Amino acid sequence: MNEPTWTDILAAWSTFGTAVLTAVLVILAVCAWRTAKDTLDASKKASEAAEASAVAAQAANEQARLDSIEQTRPYVFVEVVPGLQGAGCWDVRIANSGRSAARNLTLDYEHWSQNPDDVGTAVRELFETSRALPPGCSIRAVWRLEGNFTEGPSIVGLGKSGKITVRYTSDDPSRPDYDDSFDVMIEKSGLWPIPESGPEPEGVTGQARKFYRLGQALTRRIGETSR
């Protein structure tokens, strides 16, 4: 067998070096691919986290906006309460307990009379006339009267039950319209308290009796104003 020449040795080392270099390049390529993949995955996760954070921030901002609207909105409610005129009388009270003015306020009642009397006509005109109601303010009007009147029917005005619908807007353009309904429940609200007017003036006559009656009327009126 012939001894290898220096050219054969050089060719062998060259082949070995090429193989080693190729192996190193493959290893470096694999490392670079893994690094690139890890970077891509990290970038994708960061992008997803940023997107989720943006969605959460948007939701938080929207909730804050809605909370601000709810905290500063007008809130109009309607109730039928014992009237300031005394027993047998009822008033409708329209109040704004919100933090801003109610604009274009109108109301409706589901049981309007086909032949309205003066009280029913006045209430319907009040309800259908658009107006602004500032916060903390209220409107009160006669709703129903019952009694032994010298002329006309013994009952005037509107019913003891039904639903009153309230519609209005606000100063916030992002939430312009509100629509609420409230029940009239005169006969389902327990026993209405009325102010005490004092005992009957037994044995009191003349001017003293008139003065006593005047005091009774004043006492009732003062008591009614606190309701």
Side-chain angles (χ1 to χ4, degrees), residues 60-61 75 86 131 134 145 150 162 165 169-170 172 184 190 194 204 206 216 226:
N61 291 336
Y75 186 81
R131 70 190 72 233
L145 300 174
T150 57
T165 302
T169 63
S170 69
D172 191 337
V184 178
I194 60 175
V204 180
Q216 284 184 313
S226 62

Side-chain angles (χ1 to χ4, degrees), residues 22-104:
T22 301
V24 171
L25 290 176
V26 169
I27 294 172
L28 291 177
V30 170
C31 292
W33 174 80
R34 288 183 176 178
T35 302
K37 184 176 182 299
D38 292 341
T39 302
L40 181 62
D41 291 342
S43 177
K44 184 178 180 180
K45 291 180 180 179
S47 177
E48 291 175 350
E51 183 177 357
S53 178
V55 171
Q58 184 178 4
N61 291 336
E62 179 65 15
Q63 186 61 47
R65 185 184 70 84
L66 294 176
D67 291 343
S68 177
I69 291 174
E70 290 301 314
Q71 292 172 3
T72 60
R73 60 160 285 189
Y75 186 81
V76 177
F77 69 92
V78 183
E79 58 182 351
V80 175
V81 296
L84 299 179
Q85 301 84 356
C89 303
W90 287 269
D91 294 345
V92 58
R93 180 170 175 265
I94 309 163
N96 181 6
S97 61
R99 302 290 297 275
S100 59
R103 308 288 183 184
N104 304 317

Side-chain angles (χ1 to χ4, degrees), residues 109-117 119-121 124 156-159:
Y109 178 54
E110 66 176 353
H111 295 321
W112 293 117
S113 173
Q114 297 297 322
N115 299 301
D117 50 41
V119 173
T121 300
R124 188 160 192 170
V156 295
L158 299 169

Side-chain angles (χ1 to χ4, degrees), residues 115-138:
N115 299 301
D117 50 41
D118 291 344
V119 173
T121 300
V123 172
R124 188 160 192 170
E125 182 179 11
L126 167 66
F127 277 21
E128 294 179 352
T129 302
S130 177
R131 70 190 72 233
L133 187 62
C137 296
S138 63

